[in-house]
Amino acid sequence: METKWFTLRTVEDKESIAQAADILRRGGLLAIPTETVYGLGANGLDETAVLHIFEAKGRPQDNPLILHIPDASWLTRYCEDVPDAAYKLAERFWPGPLTMILKKKPCVPLRTTGGLETVGMRCPDHAVTRAIIEASGVPVAAPSANTSGRPSCTTAEHVREDMWGKIDGIVDGGPCQVGVESTIIDLTCEPPRLLRPGGLPLEALEDVAGPIAVDRAVTQQLKEGEQPKAPGMKYRHYAPHADLQLVEGETDRVVEVINNLVKEKLAEGKMVGVICTDETRVRYPQGEVRSVGLRAKEETIAHNLFAVLREFDDLNVDCIYSESFSKDHLGQAIMNRLTKAAGYHILNV
Ligand code: TXA
Ligand code: MG
């Protein structure tokens, strides 16, 4: 398949927006930029188009897709019994990194929702993408644009690596600002429940919606056969090819332990990666050392995390050791992604 590339940085480029929207209207697959990660979009009401998303990603069919809309006025087209809290949250946080799970209307195919009677709704904070959705006139089902299991894509180049030749178009809207996926909150239960930590911190949500329960799958490894409420949380995710191990503890000790592990692996002839921060970068003399950002500015770490994991795939390292981070605010999402990427392999020192 020929993949068309659109460099699209402004809503003034009406011609490209119309062409991109046309791909969606005709049932094609289009990678779209958002503020969190790139999405692999298709008309969410068209079962065949949606099936093609699952095929291109190699994604299990029971893992539901979320629908992207240009504003909250589209909610009632696809959702039933929308609670007041949904409008309050949309008013405060949309467009932005928040996905709300609501009861679906019959027009939303079960193919899109992985067989569930609920649907995730999101309004992305990317003007070009909202303009494309608006012009297409359809809600856009879009999972993250990575091949299933790989780290998510935060640049159009990452999407090219995973999807070139498999989809109809890629919209290059620049690097994603936030860098981790949206926060998912289920509003079909009382109290509302956090299903996936993401770009919008839980504390900000609670300010508007009151107390929110946290799903077990957010903080703990599920037991064999246990079903999380967000089906996607049960799959190994965000994983680089190499074995990743997280090292947790007081910083000086973490640096020392990682340096010892690196030395050991190098002696075995292995290629070793280290994930650290700007603050500690100079303290690692050996291995492929990459800083994810400033520990003091967690948004820089969220922004760079997936790109660093993908870079280690390109380098073909055998193993990676990573510093760990505070779980406050955006740190909850950062540590959730890192822990999953590590397959819960954590060394406490
Ligand atoms: O930031 C994001 O949310 C990105 C961008 C592209 O918008 N999208 C994204 O989609 O991360 P995806 O498919 O990679 O992750 C969506 C997660 C999956 O874990 C899925 O199981 C869960 O949301 N999910 C979707 N619909 C659901 C529903 N009705 N009930 C419970 N969980 C749902
Ligand atoms: Mg994903």
Side-chain angles (χ1 to χ4, degrees), residues 32 34 36-40 57 59 62-66 68 99 101-102 113 116 118-120 122 124 142-146 180-184 186 195-196 229-233 237:
I32 47 172
T34 81
T36 57
V37 299
Y38 272 75
L40 179 55
K57 275 183 65 82
R59 176 173 172 117
D62 68 345
N63 194 358
L65 309 179
I66 58 191
H68 296 65
T99 297
I101 306 291
L102 298 163
T113 64
L116 299 175
T118 56
V119 61
R122 159 153 153 76
S144 51
N146 53 290
V180 292
E181 296 87 343
S182 61
T183 302
I184 303 180
D186 187 348
L195 303 189
R196 177 177 74 181
K229 258 196 124 175
M233 296 292 274
H237 247 144

Side-chain angles (χ1 to χ4, degrees), residues 244-248 324 327 335 339 342-348:
L244 169 63
Q245 191 166 340
L246 263 173
V247 184
E248 220 165 37
S324 44
K327 291 188 179 114
M335 282 301 285
T339 307
Y344 295 89
H345 201 175
I346 300 169
L347 189 64
N348 280 293

Side-chain angles (χ1 to χ4, degrees), residues 193-197 212-230 233-234 332 336 339-340 344:
R193 179 173 286 259
L194 178 76
L195 303 189
R196 177 177 74 181
I212 295 171
V214 177
D215 203 64
R216 245 177 64 82
V218 170
T219 48
Q220 284 168 58
Q221 183 170 22
L222 295 173
K223 298 194 190 78
E224 190 71 26
E226 195 177 349
Q227 291 299 325
K229 258 196 124 175
M233 296 292 274
K234 71 174 175 264
Q332 191 180 21
N336 173 270
T339 307
K340 281 172 165 266
Y344 295 89

Side-chain angles (χ1 to χ4, degrees), residues 53 112 135 192 260 268 309 344:
I53 294 181
T112 302
N260 286 337
E268 289 170 19
L309 291 177
Y344 295 89

